[in-house]
Amino acid sequence: MEEKDSYIVYTVIVASCIFFIVALFIFFYIRLFIERKKRFAEEKINMQQAFSQMLLQSQIETQEETIAQLGKELHDNVGQLLSSTKMLLGITERAIDNPPETLLTAEETISKAINELRNLSKSLSKEWLQQFDLIENLQAEIIRLNSSKIINIHFSHPEKLVIDKDRQMILFRILQESIQNTLKHADAKNIFIDFLFTKNSLQIVFKDDGKGFDTAAKANGIGIMNIKHRIKLLNGSIEWLSSSTNGTIINIGLPLNKPSNEEGNHRIS
Amino acid sequence: MLLTYLPTSIIEIIAFIISLISLSDKRVGWYKNFIWYLAIVVIIENFALAIVFYWHQPNNYWIFNIFQPIQIGFISWLMYKITKPFFNSKWLIVSLAVISLIIFIAENYNTGFRNYAKITKTYFAIFAVVEALLFYYYFLKQESNISITRYPPFWIITGIFFFYFVSITSNLFYDTLSAINKTKTKPIRYTIFLILNIILYGCWSYAFIWKKKTATSFTQ
Amino acid sequence: MKKATIGLVDDHQLFLKSLVLMLESFKNYEVVIEALNGKDLQEKLTAKTIVPDIMLIDVSMPVMNGIETAQWLSTNYPAMKLVALSMNNDEYAVIAMLKAGCCAYLLKDAHPNELENALKEIIEKGFYNSDASNINFRKLLANQVNEKPLLNEKEKEFLGLA
């Protein structure tokens, strides 16, 4: 009886332990499985995000290429025609003893056209723009547009921008597109562009005194979608506030990350 | 002697207090019923202790037998509430609960109301384990990825699963174990049950705390 | 005075025609070769026996561009005076053309008077510095510094001695 009793006691203890271990095993197995599933799902989401980011990037690169192509075509073809014309006018002028004022004005006009075309094609060319920083490029663009006397753009900006070149480029295109939208649709006389730095972000306020537009109706328009895509690529935020009396205000917010060492070195050299 | 049985009672009281603190908020929904169930558990347990150590009656099984249908009912209802979002468990759980009750009545009829209902407990434990495993299966199968640390139903089921799965052996050998306990005062079965109660009420208390956190933060 | 012979390479026919017209109006130049690109010029030069004194080269051309053409000409016809002619005034093109052996860089929309003046100076002095083209020298110099931040061995030696 003694032996049988202790035998049963041990059996119960061992069996309970085994059952406990089995239960524990099942529990940890479930935990592992769920954790893996979660990690897998997270990776999937990350991959999807990376993919859509890449897609955006390539879309914008394609656009950039198209813009550059357009600029080059304009410059090469129309530019050649204009310079040929200018040259012929020059020859004519030299052939006449007393060239009339109209001929000289025509020559001058053509020169202006060629110059404008050259500047325009520069503002479209990525290679050209990337030699300078955003502020220089914007200033050049503003000088070009202000000289047309259609619009008066006021630009207040800091001394230096700490944003890497690619981001500056995207930002430049956003502002270019916004200026174009104002020029095309707003009937505005003035545009105000302000760059404001907060602790860790750059706020850009773009304001015109035009007739505004229906932000809800145009929310999915190509122009606005383009800008939204670009902002998304910059991890930034954008909002349009518009009214017929106060014109349009665009608020752009960009997170600022500290420039990497590479960037810093580049700047020093 | 009292010292052997007291820890289980203390654990149940702690679990009851935690449920009272965590689940008295209206936003926890049906979890509120844990408070009532644990209140009954605490009353029964202490009453059983009082029978033996205060009134010095040798047999207190009848009070546990009164509690048995309540336990079957509550655990089954809990299983139904928790498994409902994952699969159609209603008829399975209801029929297993009914079978358990029939076994319980039959067992009482055969051995008397003043005996330990070991057959009922064993069968009901098996049923509960099956239901818990089914829950795990469907829980792993579903698409959304819920974090188990923050998912109270998972911990409630896990507590039940451990408790009933491991208790099967002790219940099967109940007769021998209680005989040994009487002759040699080796409370093996009580020790095992103490550990199982710690696991069960530990898991539940964890679930209650998380339930309060999630319920109150979601509706803010 | 003997007429100077001139060759032209430009892919824009219309511009080529006006250029010929202009050069002929200057009286003392004779256009002997007109080519649409570098490749075309290579063929025409080897077929003809006349080698022009001055070659006006467009920078951007299909098949063989101005830079390649200028390089080829300066190795094969070192006596020939090469003049870059472009719509563009961007500094990379200017630098590349001058490096390739051009002695002047002229803009296509320059006034005929300036072009005549330039050609005259090239024949007399061998080079012409355009003051009309608004080249951004600051940027250009900055980029030059960027390109070779390291000193070569001789320079290092020199610094060591100093």
Side-chain angles (χ1 to χ4, degrees):
Chain A
M1 198 61 202
E2 274 282 305
E3 255 176 50
K4 202 192 160 209
D5 279 358
S6 57
Y7 174 73
I8 284 170
V9 167
Y10 288 127
T11 312
V12 169
I13 291 173
V14 169
S16 294
C17 285
I18 290 172
F19 270 56
F20 185 72
I21 289 165
V22 169
L24 216 60
F25 179 79
I26 291 172
F27 171 73
F28 279 114
Y29 177 76
I30 288 166
R31 234 186 72 164
L32 189 79
F33 188 93
I34 286 169
E35 228 115 90
R36 265 203 203 144
K37 205 167 104 179
K38 215 173 117 187
R39 212 172 334 128
F40 181 72
E42 269 165 16
E43 271 169 22
K44 210 168 123 186
I45 288 167
N46 283 344
M47 267 167 67
Q48 274 168 347
Q49 271 172 350
F51 178 72
S52 64
Q53 197 79 356
M54 261 169 64
L55 203 70
L56 266 177
Q57 183 97 46
S58 68
Q59 261 177 2
I60 281 165
E61 271 166 18
T62 316
Q63 272 181 358
E64 200 62 57
E65 257 168 52
T66 316
I67 292 172
Q69 191 66 31
L70 179 76
K72 205 169 141 19
E73 292 278 308
L74 254 181
H75 184 253
D76 285 3
N77 298 330
V78 182
Q80 301 278 359
L81 295 178
L82 288 176
S83 357
S84 305
T85 315
K86 196 190 166 194
M87 192 167 281
L88 294 172
L89 284 176
I91 299 166
T92 317
E93 184 206 322
R94 284 160 56 95
I96 303 167
D97 286 338
N98 258 329
E101 194 63 26
T102 46
L103 186 66
L104 295 177
T105 314
E107 247 192 288
E108 209 175 292
T109 314
I110 289 234
S111 293
K112 264 190 195 161
I114 292 170
N115 250 331
E116 287 220 359
L117 190 68
R118 183 173 290 141
N119 290 335
L120 177 67
S121 98
K122 272 174 192 164
S123 85
L124 295 176
S125 150
K126 190 181 175 185
E127 277 94 33
W128 173 261
L129 291 171
Q130 279 189 330
Q131 296 172 40
F132 312 98
D133 74 5
L134 175 64
I135 292 171
E136 290 174 289
N137 282 331
L138 262 179
Q139 278 172 331
E141 182 82 353
I142 287 165
I143 290 166
R144 182 173 80 80
L145 292 168
N146 282 355
S147 70
S148 70
K149 307 269 191 274
I150 301 165
I151 193 102
N152 200 4
I153 304 172
H154 311 265
F155 180 34
S156 79
H157 59 85
E159 279 288 302
K160 200 81 197 154
L161 279 179
V162 243
I163 312 176
D164 67 59
K165 290 266 172 192
D166 283 337
R167 288 161 68 87
Q168 288 197 17
M169 188 70 212
I170 296 170
L171 201 52
F172 178 71
R173 289 285 185 237
I174 292 169
L175 291 167
Q176 210 177 21
E177 182 105 38
S178 303
I179 294 171
Q180 286 305 317
N181 285 341
T182 298
L183 283 178
K184 271 188 267 176
H185 309 295
D187 256 346
K189 288 192 176 65
N190 292 290
I191 294 176
F192 302 88
I193 302 173
D194 289 303
F195 279 45
L196 306 162
F197 279 102
T198 66
K199 205 170 160 198
N200 41 17
S201 75
L202 168 62
Q203 299 293 326
I204 300 170
V205 182
F206 177 103
K207 189 176 177 307
D208 71 31
D209 56 359
K211 61 185 180 189
F213 69 102
D214 184 354
T215 48
K218 287 278 190 312
N220 292 318
I222 294 171
I224 286 191
M225 282 312 268
N226 252 336
I227 293 175
K228 279 184 183 167
H229 278 160
R230 292 197 154 93
I231 283 287
K232 205 174 160 196
L233 205 61
L234 295 174
N235 286 326
S237 63
I238 189 159
E239 59 168 352
W240 283 267
L241 307 166
S242 194
S243 72
S244 52
T245 46
N246 293 324
T248 303
I249 298 171
I250 307 173
N251 285 316
I252 299 172
L254 288 183
L256 285 181
N257 34 6
K258 296 230 164 68
S260 64
N261 274 340
E262 222 182 310
E263 179 74 9
N265 286 340
H266 189 76
R267 236 163 250 289
I268 292 159
S269 67
Chain B
M1 274 299 273
L2 181 65
L3 282 178
T4 316
Y5 305 107
L6 209 53
T8 310
S9 176
I10 292 168
I11 287 159
E12 284 163 357
I13 289 168
I14 292 170
F16 170 67
I17 291 167
I18 291 172
S19 76
L20 208 59
I21 295 165
S22 307
L23 304 176
S24 47
D25 196 297
K26 260 189 185 157
R27 286 171 285 190
V28 299
W30 57 265
Y31 277 73
K32 230 175 154 49
N33 291 325
F34 273 106
I35 298 173
W36 299 111
Y37 177 71
L38 288 171
I40 295 168
V41 167
V42 167
I43 292 165
I44 296 279
E45 189 75 41
N46 287 297
F47 197 70
L49 286 181
I51 290 169
V52 175
F53 295 101
Y54 187 76
W55 288 298
H56 300 288
Q57 299 286 318
N59 190 316
N60 62 2
Y61 288 132
W62 58 272
I63 192 149
F64 287 117
N65 280 343
I66 290 172
F67 178 63
Q68 193 62 53
I70 298 171
Q71 192 188 26
I72 291 171
F74 183 75
I75 299 291
S76 298
W77 174 77
L78 210 57
M79 280 291 184
Y80 168 67
K81 277 285 184 190
I82 289 174
T83 51
K84 199 171 70 174
F86 297 99
F87 69 105
N88 187 9
S89 58
K90 194 176 182 179
W91 293 112
L92 176 85
I93 289 171
V94 167
S95 45
L96 288 180
V98 169
I99 291 169
S100 306
L101 288 173
I102 291 170
I103 292 171
F104 177 66
I105 292 164
E107 194 181 15
N108 279 323
Y109 184 78
N110 285 334
T111 59
F113 199 64
R114 297 173 81 84
N115 263 318
Y116 187 75
K118 57 169 182 172
I119 299 171
T120 311
K121 280 181 185 294
T122 308
Y123 276 101
F124 183 65
I126 292 168
F127 296 158
V129 167
V130 168
E131 285 164 7
L133 288 175
L134 274 172
F135 165 78
Y136 285 146
Y137 174 73
Y138 284 101
F139 184 71
L140 293 185
K141 227 178 109 179
Q142 46 98 25
E143 285 297 309
S144 67
N145 56 102
I146 303 163
S147 166
I148 52 165
T149 39
R150 290 172 197 186
Y151 189 61
F154 178 84
W155 290 99
I156 288 176
I157 296 281
T158 300
I160 292 172
F161 175 67
F162 270 85
F163 184 86
Y164 286 105
F165 192 57
V166 185
S167 76
I168 290 172
T169 30
S170 331
N171 282 332
L172 276 177
F173 290 94
Y174 171 78
D175 290 333
T176 332
L177 289 175
S178 84
I180 294 165
N181 189 26
K182 270 183 189 134
T183 52
K184 301 206 185 69
T185 60
K186 276 188 192 161
I188 291 153
R189 206 181 67 86
Y190 287 100
T191 316
I192 290 171
F193 267 88
L194 175 64
I195 295 166
L196 292 180
N197 274 315
I198 293 172
I199 294 172
L200 173 69
Y201 293 117
C203 284
W204 281 19
S205 302
Y206 181 81
F208 298 160
I209 292 163
W210 268 110
K211 184 66 200 175
K212 183 191 167 76
K213 274 191 187 171
T214 49
T216 47
S217 66
F218 274 136
T219 43
Q220 257 170 18
Chain C
M1 189 180 144
K2 185 184 159 277
K3 274 188 180 181
T5 49
I6 290 186
L8 305 173
V9 207
D10 197 312
D11 59 317
H12 289 86
Q13 301 256 19
L14 193 68
F15 185 75
L16 208 61
K17 283 277 168 302
S18 13
L19 204 58
V20 173
L21 279 173
M22 184 193 75
L23 289 168
E24 278 169 0
S25 79
F26 291 169
K27 306 293 184 210
N28 38 4
Y29 299 100
E30 189 187 352
V31 179
V32 288
I33 284 184
E34 291 168 42
L36 291 174
N37 58 58
K39 207 97 204 153
D40 193 26
L41 179 73
Q42 285 178 343
E43 283 161 15
K44 282 180 176 159
L45 264 180
T46 40
K48 279 192 183 173
T49 45
I50 313 160
V51 174
D53 302 325
I54 298 172
M55 183 67 73
L56 301 183
I57 309 161
D58 185 20
V59 176
S60 57
M61 287 182 293
V63 190
M64 185 173 173
N65 69 24
I67 298 161
E68 290 164 339
T69 311
Q71 277 165 349
W72 182 80
L73 284 171
S74 55
T75 44
N76 289 291
Y77 300 89
M80 195 188 288
K81 292 195 173 68
L82 310 178
V83 177
L85 199 59
S86 172
M87 272 301 290
N88 264 318
N89 62 349
D90 88 85
E91 49 256 17
Y92 289 118
V94 176
I95 285 273
M97 287 306 276
L98 294 179
K99 266 188 184 168
C102 292
C103 56
Y105 192 98
L106 300 174
L107 289 173
K108 280 185 178 177
D109 56 318
H111 193 272
N113 287 347
E114 199 204 333
L115 289 174
E116 188 181 25
N117 200 19
L119 287 174
K120 211 174 101 191
E121 272 193 38
I122 287 161
I123 287 172
E124 282 168 4
K125 297 195 228 160
F127 67 88
Y128 172 76
N129 275 338
S130 150
D131 49 8
S133 64
N134 48 346
I135 293 162
N136 190 341
F137 282 106
R138 182 181 65 84
K139 196 85 202 171
L140 212 146
L141 285 171
N143 283 334
Q144 280 295 91
V145 172
N146 240 341
E147 265 172 32
K148 39 173 194 177
L150 294 168
L151 304 170
N152 65 29
E153 284 308 310
K154 282 230 171 105
E155 284 168 329
K156 273 183 193 159
E157 220 169 86
F158 173 77
L159 280 177
L161 287 171

